[in-house]
C-alpha cells in the first residue's frame, strides 16, 4: 500500500505540509514582519544604536501601567497625524501592544506601513516582555519581574532557538 492510499487519521496531517519551497517563502516572509521579544531586548541591551525604534501603540493609561524602556509612545489612533513628527522614516519601527491576544501592534504596523515606514511587529507584546523578565518602566518608575519559566529559560541567557 502506498502512502497515497493511506487515510490520514489525525488533523495535523489531514492537510499536508507545504512544499519546502513554499515553507521557505512563508517563514522567510514571517521573519521580515515579526521580531521576537528576546531578540528586541538583546539588541537594545547591547548598547549603541540598535538600528530600529520601538513603538508602544497603546493608550496613555496602558503606557503608564508599564512600557519598554526607551520606547516611543504613539497610540495607533494618533499615528497618521503624529508619526512624522516623532519617527524618522529612514529608521525601521518595531511595534508592540499588550500581548498575543491583542492585534493593536498589527494595526499600528499597518498604519505606519501605509505612511511609508519599514516596520515589524514584536511578537508577544508587553506581556511577554514582562514575562521573560526584561526591565520595564511605569509611571512610578522602573520595574522588573522574575522570568516566567514557561516563557524564558531559567538557568540560561537564551533559549537556543
Amino acid at each position: 500500500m502506498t502512502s497515497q492510499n493511506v487515510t490520514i487519521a489525525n488533523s495535523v496531517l489531514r492537510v499536508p505540509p507545504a512544499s519546502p519551497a513554499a515553507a521557505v517563502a512563508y517563514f522567510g516572509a514571517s521573519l521580515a514582519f515579526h521580531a521576537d521579544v528576546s531578540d528586541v531586548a538583546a539588541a537594545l541591551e547591547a548598547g549603541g544604536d540598535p538600528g530600529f525604534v520601538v513603538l508602544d501603540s497603546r493608550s496613555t493609561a496602558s503606557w503608564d501601567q508599564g512600557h519598554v524602556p526607551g520606547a516611543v509612545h504613539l497610540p495607533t489612533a494618533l499615528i497618521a497625524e503624529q508619526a512624522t513628527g516623532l519617527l524618522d522614516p529612514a529608521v525601521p519601527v518595531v511595534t508592540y501592544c499588550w500581548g498575543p491576544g491583542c492585534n493593536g501592534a498589527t494595526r499600528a504596523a499597518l498604519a505606519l506601513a501605509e505612511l511609508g515606514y519599514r516596520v515589524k511587529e514584536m511578537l508577544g507584546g508587553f506581556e511577554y516582555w514582562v514575562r521573560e523578565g526584561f526591565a520595564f518602566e511605569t509611571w512610578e518608575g522602573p520595574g522588573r519581574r522574575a522570568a516566567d519559566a514557561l516563557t524564558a529559560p531559567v538557568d540560561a541567557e537564551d533559549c537556543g532557538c
Side-chain angles (χ1 to χ4, degrees):
M1 182 179 257
T2 67
S3 61
Q4 293 176 338
N5 296 332
V6 175
T7 301
I8 302 297
N10 67 61
S11 59
V12 173
L13 296 175
R14 193 166 293 129
V15 173
S19 70
V24 166
Y26 174 83
F27 292 116
S30 179
L31 292 172
F33 296 112
H34 300 109
D36 179 275
V37 166
S38 296
D39 291 341
V40 172
L44 294 175
E45 290 174 358
D49 180 2
F52 61 87
V53 64
V54 178
L55 184 136
D56 185 315
S57 64
R58 300 172 301 149
S59 69
T60 298
S62 299
W63 167 268
D64 289 345
Q65 190 173 324
H67 57 270
V68 172
V72 171
H73 180 229
L74 182 57
T76 301
L78 302 176
I79 288 175
E81 64 185 68
Q82 295 183 8
T84 57
L86 294 173
L87 302 169
D88 180 346
V91 178
V93 179
V94 176
T95 63
Y96 75 89
C97 199
W98 273 113
C102 175
N103 66 2
T106 305
R107 288 192 306 271
L110 175 59
L112 288 163
E114 289 172 339
L115 294 173
Y117 290 88
R118 293 177 299 144
V119 63
K120 288 189 174 201
E121 178 182 4
M122 185 173 77
L123 296 175
F126 185 66
E127 175 189 350
Y128 275 72
W129 184 271
V130 174
R131 289 183 73 188
E132 290 191 25
F134 300 117
F136 58 90
E137 296 174 347
T138 73
W139 68 273
E140 295 177 307
R144 186 177 216 134
R145 295 183 184 171
D148 180 337
L150 295 176
T151 65
V154 176
D155 295 326
E157 287 196 25
D158 67 48
C159 64
C161 53

